[in-house]
Amino acid sequence: MLLIDIGSTYTKLVVADCTTMEIIASDCSPTTIEDVSIGFHKALKKIEDKCVPAELLEERYASSSAAGGLRMIAIGLVPELTMEAANRAALGAGAKVIKTYSFNLSKKQVKEIEDLRPDIILLAGGTDGGEKNTIIHNAKMIVESSIKAPVIMAGNSAAADSILDIFEQSNKPLYVTENVMPFINKLNVDSVKEIIREIFIKKIVVAKGLSKINDFIKGIALPTPLAVLEAAKTMADLFSEGVVLVDVGGATTDVHSITDGLPCDPQIVLKGLPEPFAKRTVEGDLGVRHNISSIVDAVGKERLLKNANVTDAVDSNTVDIILGQWASEASALPKDYFEKSIDCGLAISAVEVATDRHAGYLEEIWTPAGKILVQYGKDLSLVGAIIGTGGPVINSERPWEILEKATYSNNNPFVLKPKKPKYYVDSSYVVFSIGLIAQINPKAAKEIAQNYLKKMEVKLKYA
Amino acid sequence: MTINIVTGVIGSDVHTIGSKLLSYAIRKAGFNVTDIGVSVSQEELINAAIETNSQAILISSLYGHGELDCRGFRAKCIETGLNDIKLYVGGNLVVGKIEWPEVEKKFLDMGFDRVGYPGMTPNQVIEWLEEDLK
């Protein structure tokens, strides 16, 4: 079976055998945006040289995040409720949420959406039988605008008829599905996810010029981030308390946690919007090339240098110059040991901050009846494994130091990060392929993941 | 048409039983209840009422800090567009030996429409709701 990922930077190919349950070969070539088939055939040639001619690999599936990925806008009513629910539904479907809006859209905001040119708009607002004026207003604003993107209506079901009427006159595409929040504090993302996937396959793939390789493959199956999330779900079955998967990239650092994340002590009060079992967060300010300055802001220069293991003797100006170069040239790779250390320091810092934001946390509250502990978000302390992927982790000489930052720290005892996980590094870029195989043959995906992970475990240096 | 109502225990209070009983009883009486649980803030109650288009918010409090927790609630409702919403509060609302009429007045002055004394039955609340909302 041939698995293909047309990524934003690299086109990756993996050959997997679903009878021996092994990954046979993998390789990659830079993605060629103008015509993705060029990069694809280059990578294919490498694979053919390594193992078998492509004709023999009849089953072919692909994921893609080229041409900016799946860019979405999420609209809700109250920021903490339906807007956040819509945001999570879009992230869970593998989208890049470029902006979120709440309450009534203004003309200025509509203009902003027109300029942002999203691929899909997710329109939520109101629980079923709850508030509906806002979502109806927002639907009208979209219909009256020049926005052409397909709209998914996943809000108050009582507003569906009115919204269908509003869209009927225009020839704008509308998909009506289940509410992302049918009642307060209930998150319902599965049906939205299905529709996003359907639209992705039908429309987005063509729009992004990926149809050129469509004949060769069996259609683009998934947006890449969804393939990665599905892979994490497959791997989570191999550990009793689930997994955390971190994907460090040049533009974002993504964190996925697959576990229920409920409090481990019944005395702890859980608060806030329920978390999805498979949760994905995207930190758009923590890419190790595009957002170097915001990483420095987040952790401070001093800690970045410490994370990079750079001693005081080194002129900090030298570091600034290197960081400056990387910031202006996103595809730059570290050239020597010193640069590798700095690159590693960036990844360590990004993972530390990204997982702090992703994980749940505890808060102590003193009441007349004594102290109570309140948990917000997911408790990841019992999670069995941390899996690292993305160039900066895979190419690092000290990947364990990066992944270790995704775990619990005594300095920050209220952040509920994994306490005793095993560490794995996706050293041959195959994580996405496991997510793709899982769509066709979940059982095989699980076994292939198990065999692959066996080889990919990294031990801590001092362990 | 169904009437939507939000219930919850305000502040740092985690005493859940009274509010759960009340939610159960008014649900049985035909109202559509969104119970957002214990230890909720004013903002959480308001957000839930906006999303569900509720006509009343019923606040429970047992631990004696109800007055502090409820201050400014009516103003916030008006600020967020919940102009006509009915606000009820009930339970063990203050600490110390203060006569009930005084407690009731305190909360009515804060903008609540109905104030329930300790030990009041849910039936009284249902009567109020029917009088105020139907």
mmCIF file of all heavy atoms in Angstrom, chain A residues 80-109:
data_model
loop_
_atom_site.group_PDB
_atom_site.id
_atom_site.type_symbol
_atom_site.label_atom_id
_atom_site.label_comp_id
_atom_site.label_asym_id
_atom_site.label_seq_id
_atom_site.Cartn_x
_atom_site.Cartn_y
_atom_site.Cartn_z
ATOM 1 N N GLU A 80 -16.958 31.879 25.058
ATOM 2 C CA GLU A 80 -16.537 30.701 25.837
ATOM 3 C C GLU A 80 -17.377 29.467 25.509
ATOM 4 O O GLU A 80 -17.014 28.371 25.918
ATOM 5 C CB GLU A 80 -16.665 30.957 27.347
ATOM 6 C CG GLU A 80 -15.733 32.017 27.892
ATOM 7 C CD GLU A 80 -16.339 33.415 27.806
ATOM 8 O OE1 GLU A 80 -17.360 33.577 27.073
ATOM 9 O OE2 GLU A 80 -15.803 34.335 28.439
ATOM 10 N N LEU A 81 -18.501 29.625 24.837
ATOM 11 C CA LEU A 81 -19.385 28.470 24.605
ATOM 12 C C LEU A 81 -19.414 28.069 23.133
ATOM 13 O O LEU A 81 -18.538 27.351 22.684
ATOM 14 C CB LEU A 81 -20.788 28.766 25.168
ATOM 15 C CG LEU A 81 -20.813 28.954 26.700
ATOM 16 C CD1 LEU A 81 -22.184 29.409 27.168
ATOM 17 C CD2 LEU A 81 -20.426 27.686 27.434
ATOM 18 N N THR A 82 -20.414 28.523 22.365
ATOM 19 C CA THR A 82 -20.518 27.998 20.995
ATOM 20 C C THR A 82 -19.345 28.414 20.099
ATOM 21 O O THR A 82 -18.980 27.676 19.187
ATOM 22 C CB THR A 82 -21.849 28.388 20.320
ATOM 23 O OG1 THR A 82 -22.111 29.762 20.537
ATOM 24 C CG2 THR A 82 -22.986 27.559 20.875
ATOM 25 N N MET A 83 -18.733 29.583 20.367
ATOM 26 C CA MET A 83 -17.590 29.935 19.525
ATOM 27 C C MET A 83 -16.434 28.979 19.782
ATOM 28 O O MET A 83 -15.794 28.489 18.857
ATOM 29 C CB MET A 83 -17.139 31.380 19.773
ATOM 30 C CG MET A 83 -16.075 31.813 18.792
ATOM 31 S SD MET A 83 -15.370 33.422 19.174
ATOM 32 C CE MET A 83 -14.015 32.943 20.234
ATOM 33 N N GLU A 84 -16.187 28.677 21.053
ATOM 34 C CA GLU A 84 -15.106 27.753 21.393
ATOM 35 C C GLU A 84 -15.430 26.340 20.893
ATOM 36 O O GLU A 84 -14.549 25.624 20.422
ATOM 37 C CB GLU A 84 -14.872 27.769 22.908
ATOM 38 C CG GLU A 84 -13.738 26.881 23.405
ATOM 39 C CD GLU A 84 -12.392 27.135 22.743
ATOM 40 O OE1 GLU A 84 -12.173 28.258 22.239
ATOM 41 O OE2 GLU A 84 -11.568 26.207 22.708
ATOM 42 N N ALA A 85 -16.703 25.964 20.970
ATOM 43 C CA ALA A 85 -17.105 24.638 20.480
ATOM 44 C C ALA A 85 -16.849 24.538 18.974
ATOM 45 O O ALA A 85 -16.328 23.533 18.485
ATOM 46 C CB ALA A 85 -18.573 24.384 20.788
ATOM 47 N N ALA A 86 -17.193 25.599 18.241
ATOM 48 C CA ALA A 86 -16.962 25.608 16.791
ATOM 49 C C ALA A 86 -15.472 25.553 16.491
ATOM 50 O O ALA A 86 -15.024 24.821 15.604
ATOM 51 C CB ALA A 86 -17.592 26.858 16.171
ATOM 52 N N ASN A 87 -14.701 26.290 17.253
ATOM 53 C CA ASN A 87 -13.248 26.297 17.100
ATOM 54 C C ASN A 87 -12.675 24.898 17.291
ATOM 55 O O ASN A 87 -11.883 24.403 16.488
ATOM 56 C CB ASN A 87 -12.674 27.277 18.145
ATOM 57 C CG ASN A 87 -11.168 27.406 18.069
ATOM 58 O OD1 ASN A 87 -10.583 27.315 16.988
ATOM 59 N ND2 ASN A 87 -10.532 27.596 19.200
ATOM 60 N N ARG A 88 -13.137 24.224 18.338
ATOM 61 C CA ARG A 88 -12.619 22.878 18.613
ATOM 62 C C ARG A 88 -13.061 21.880 17.553
ATOM 63 O O ARG A 88 -12.314 20.974 17.202
ATOM 64 C CB ARG A 88 -13.087 22.406 19.990
ATOM 65 C CG ARG A 88 -12.369 23.151 21.089
ATOM 66 C CD ARG A 88 -12.693 22.565 22.429
ATOM 67 N NE ARG A 88 -12.194 23.438 23.475
ATOM 68 C CZ ARG A 88 -12.430 23.252 24.761
ATOM 69 N NH1 ARG A 88 -13.153 22.235 25.155
ATOM 70 N NH2 ARG A 88 -11.926 24.074 25.638
ATOM 71 N N ALA A 89 -14.282 22.038 17.057
ATOM 72 C CA ALA A 89 -14.764 21.131 16.010
ATOM 73 C C ALA A 89 -13.894 21.268 14.765
ATOM 74 O O ALA A 89 -13.492 20.279 14.158
ATOM 75 C CB ALA A 89 -16.220 21.434 15.676
ATOM 76 N N ALA A 90 -13.565 22.516 14.411
ATOM 77 C CA ALA A 90 -12.749 22.752 13.210
ATOM 78 C C ALA A 90 -11.336 22.212 13.408
ATOM 79 O O ALA A 90 -10.776 21.559 12.523
ATOM 80 C CB ALA A 90 -12.720 24.245 12.883
ATOM 81 N N LEU A 91 -10.755 22.461 14.578
ATOM 82 C CA LEU A 91 -9.404 21.958 14.850
ATOM 83 C C LEU A 91 -9.393 20.440 14.816
ATOM 84 O O LEU A 91 -8.478 19.819 14.277
ATOM 85 C CB LEU A 91 -8.920 22.436 16.224
ATOM 86 C CG LEU A 91 -8.489 23.893 16.320
ATOM 87 C CD1 LEU A 91 -8.208 24.264 17.772
ATOM 88 C CD2 LEU A 91 -7.254 24.149 15.472
ATOM 89 N N GLY A 92 -10.426 19.827 15.364
ATOM 90 C CA GLY A 92 -10.513 18.371 15.404
ATOM 91 C C GLY A 92 -10.707 17.757 14.030
ATOM 92 O O GLY A 92 -10.487 16.578 13.836
ATOM 93 N N ALA A 93 -11.120 18.581 13.061
ATOM 94 C CA ALA A 93 -11.287 18.086 11.698
ATOM 95 C C ALA A 93 -10.022 18.341 10.881
ATOM 96 O O ALA A 93 -10.004 18.108 9.680
ATOM 97 C CB ALA A 93 -12.479 18.763 11.041
ATOM 98 N N GLY A 94 -8.998 18.841 11.535
ATOM 99 C CA GLY A 94 -7.728 19.048 10.848
ATOM 100 C C GLY A 94 -7.607 20.396 10.167
ATOM 101 O O GLY A 94 -6.717 20.614 9.346
ATOM 102 N N ALA A 95 -8.480 21.326 10.512
ATOM 103 C CA ALA A 95 -8.423 22.631 9.856
ATOM 104 C C ALA A 95 -7.446 23.558 10.563
ATOM 105 O O ALA A 95 -7.033 23.326 11.684
ATOM 106 C CB ALA A 95 -9.805 23.268 9.850
ATOM 107 N N LYS A 96 -7.113 24.610 9.833
ATOM 108 C CA LYS A 96 -6.325 25.681 10.404
ATOM 109 C C LYS A 96 -7.355 26.782 10.643
ATOM 110 O O LYS A 96 -7.956 27.287 9.694
ATOM 111 C CB LYS A 96 -5.338 26.106 9.331
ATOM 112 C CG LYS A 96 -4.281 27.051 9.729
ATOM 113 C CD LYS A 96 -3.387 27.164 8.499
ATOM 114 C CE LYS A 96 -2.123 27.904 8.715
ATOM 115 N NZ LYS A 96 -1.305 27.826 7.490
ATOM 116 N N VAL A 97 -7.633 27.088 11.900
ATOM 117 C CA VAL A 97 -8.651 28.106 12.184
ATOM 118 C C VAL A 97 -7.982 29.475 12.094
ATOM 119 O O VAL A 97 -7.167 29.833 12.945
ATOM 120 C CB VAL A 97 -9.294 27.891 13.564
ATOM 121 C CG1 VAL A 97 -10.324 28.974 13.851
ATOM 122 C CG2 VAL A 97 -9.933 26.514 13.629
ATOM 123 N N ILE A 98 -8.307 30.224 11.029
ATOM 124 C CA ILE A 98 -7.591 31.488 10.843
ATOM 125 C C ILE A 98 -8.183 32.612 11.672
ATOM 126 O O ILE A 98 -7.491 33.548 12.036
ATOM 127 C CB ILE A 98 -7.492 31.899 9.353
ATOM 128 C CG1 ILE A 98 -8.815 31.657 8.627
ATOM 129 C CG2 ILE A 98 -6.373 31.160 8.663
ATOM 130 C CD1 ILE A 98 -8.787 32.094 7.184
ATOM 131 N N LYS A 99 -9.443 32.504 12.027
ATOM 132 C CA LYS A 99 -10.043 33.527 12.884
ATOM 133 C C LYS A 99 -11.368 33.024 13.450
ATOM 134 O O LYS A 99 -12.041 32.220 12.828
ATOM 135 C CB LYS A 99 -10.267 34.813 12.062
ATOM 136 C CG LYS A 99 -10.662 36.010 12.877
ATOM 137 C CD LYS A 99 -9.655 37.151 12.788
ATOM 138 C CE LYS A 99 -9.912 38.149 13.892
ATOM 139 N NZ LYS A 99 -9.345 39.457 13.659
ATOM 140 N N THR A 100 -11.704 33.510 14.639
ATOM 141 C CA THR A 100 -12.995 33.151 15.230
ATOM 142 C C THR A 100 -13.775 34.441 15.510
ATOM 143 O O THR A 100 -13.189 35.484 15.768
ATOM 144 C CB THR A 100 -12.820 32.389 16.554
ATOM 145 O OG1 THR A 100 -11.988 33.153 17.419
ATOM 146 C CG2 THR A 100 -12.203 31.030 16.349
ATOM 147 N N TYR A 101 -15.096 34.319 15.439
ATOM 148 C CA TYR A 101 -15.963 35.474 15.703
ATOM 149 C C TYR A 101 -17.098 35.066 16.631
ATOM 150 O O TYR A 101 -17.559 33.919 16.588
ATOM 151 C CB TYR A 101 -16.573 36.014 14.398
ATOM 152 C CG TYR A 101 -15.553 36.552 13.430
ATOM 153 C CD1 TYR A 101 -14.994 35.733 12.453
ATOM 154 C CD2 TYR A 101 -15.140 37.882 13.503
ATOM 155 C CE1 TYR A 101 -14.050 36.225 11.565
ATOM 156 C CE2 TYR A 101 -14.209 38.383 12.607
ATOM 157 C CZ TYR A 101 -13.671 37.557 11.639
ATOM 158 O OH TYR A 101 -12.742 38.052 10.767
ATOM 159 N N SER A 102 -17.576 36.033 17.438
ATOM 160 C CA SER A 102 -18.711 35.753 18.316
ATOM 161 C C SER A 102 -19.747 36.869 18.174
ATOM 162 O O SER A 102 -19.453 37.935 17.633
ATOM 163 C CB SER A 102 -18.247 35.662 19.766
ATOM 164 O OG SER A 102 -17.532 36.821 20.111
ATOM 165 N N PHE A 103 -20.944 36.605 18.681
ATOM 166 C CA PHE A 103 -22.070 37.554 18.634
ATOM 167 C C PHE A 103 -22.391 37.981 17.189
ATOM 168 O O PHE A 103 -21.998 37.310 16.250
ATOM 169 C CB PHE A 103 -21.811 38.766 19.538
ATOM 170 C CG PHE A 103 -21.557 38.379 20.968
ATOM 171 C CD1 PHE A 103 -20.307 38.519 21.541
ATOM 172 C CD2 PHE A 103 -22.576 37.808 21.729
ATOM 173 C CE1 PHE A 103 -20.076 38.124 22.859
ATOM 174 C CE2 PHE A 103 -22.345 37.416 23.057
ATOM 175 C CZ PHE A 103 -21.099 37.579 23.614
ATOM 176 N N ASN A 104 -23.105 39.111 17.040
ATOM 177 C CA ASN A 104 -23.498 39.553 15.700
ATOM 178 C C ASN A 104 -22.290 40.014 14.886
ATOM 179 O O ASN A 104 -21.498 40.827 15.361
ATOM 180 C CB ASN A 104 -24.462 40.740 15.811
ATOM 181 C CG ASN A 104 -25.885 40.300 16.092
ATOM 182 O OD1 ASN A 104 -26.177 39.103 16.142
ATOM 183 N ND2 ASN A 104 -26.763 41.253 16.279
ATOM 184 N N LEU A 105 -22.172 39.498 13.672
ATOM 185 C CA LEU A 105 -21.092 39.955 12.792
ATOM 186 C C LEU A 105 -21.383 41.393 12.367
ATOM 187 O O LEU A 105 -22.509 41.736 12.024
ATOM 188 C CB LEU A 105 -21.024 39.086 11.532
ATOM 189 C CG LEU A 105 -20.410 37.691 11.662
ATOM 190 C CD1 LEU A 105 -20.565 36.959 10.332
ATOM 191 C CD2 LEU A 105 -18.950 37.762 12.052
ATOM 192 N N SER A 106 -20.338 42.214 12.381
ATOM 193 C CA SER A 106 -20.491 43.584 11.896
ATOM 194 C C SER A 106 -20.063 43.628 10.429
ATOM 195 O O SER A 106 -19.444 42.682 9.930
ATOM 196 C CB SER A 106 -19.618 44.525 12.718
ATOM 197 O OG SER A 106 -18.253 44.219 12.476
ATOM 198 N N LYS A 107 -20.370 44.750 9.769
ATOM 199 C CA LYS A 107 -19.960 44.894 8.361
ATOM 200 C C LYS A 107 -18.447 44.813 8.230
ATOM 201 O O LYS A 107 -17.913 44.248 7.288
ATOM 202 C CB LYS A 107 -20.455 46.245 7.830
ATOM 203 C CG LYS A 107 -21.920 46.200 7.446
ATOM 204 C CD LYS A 107 -22.372 47.525 6.873
ATOM 205 C CE LYS A 107 -23.863 47.480 6.581
ATOM 206 N NZ LYS A 107 -24.446 48.818 6.501
ATOM 207 N N LYS A 108 -17.768 45.394 9.231
ATOM 208 C CA LYS A 108 -16.308 45.407 9.201
ATOM 209 C C LYS A 108 -15.760 43.979 9.301
ATOM 210 O O LYS A 108 -14.815 43.610 8.598
ATOM 211 C CB LYS A 108 -15.813 46.246 10.383
ATOM 212 C CG LYS A 108 -14.368 46.604 10.297
ATOM 213 C CD LYS A 108 -13.966 47.572 11.408
ATOM 214 C CE LYS A 108 -12.480 47.503 11.616
ATOM 215 N NZ LYS A 108 -12.120 47.519 13.021
ATOM 216 N N GLN A 109 -16.388 43.191 10.164
ATOM 217 C CA GLN A 109 -15.921 41.811 10.312
ATOM 218 C C GLN A 109 -16.186 41.002 9.044
ATOM 219 O O GLN A 109 -15.369 40.166 8.657
ATOM 220 C CB GLN A 109 -16.610 41.158 11.519
ATOM 221 C CG GLN A 109 -16.089 41.703 12.844
ATOM 222 C CD GLN A 109 -16.920 41.237 14.026
ATOM 223 O OE1 GLN A 109 -18.138 41.077 13.920
ATOM 224 N NE2 GLN A 109 -16.281 41.027 15.156
#
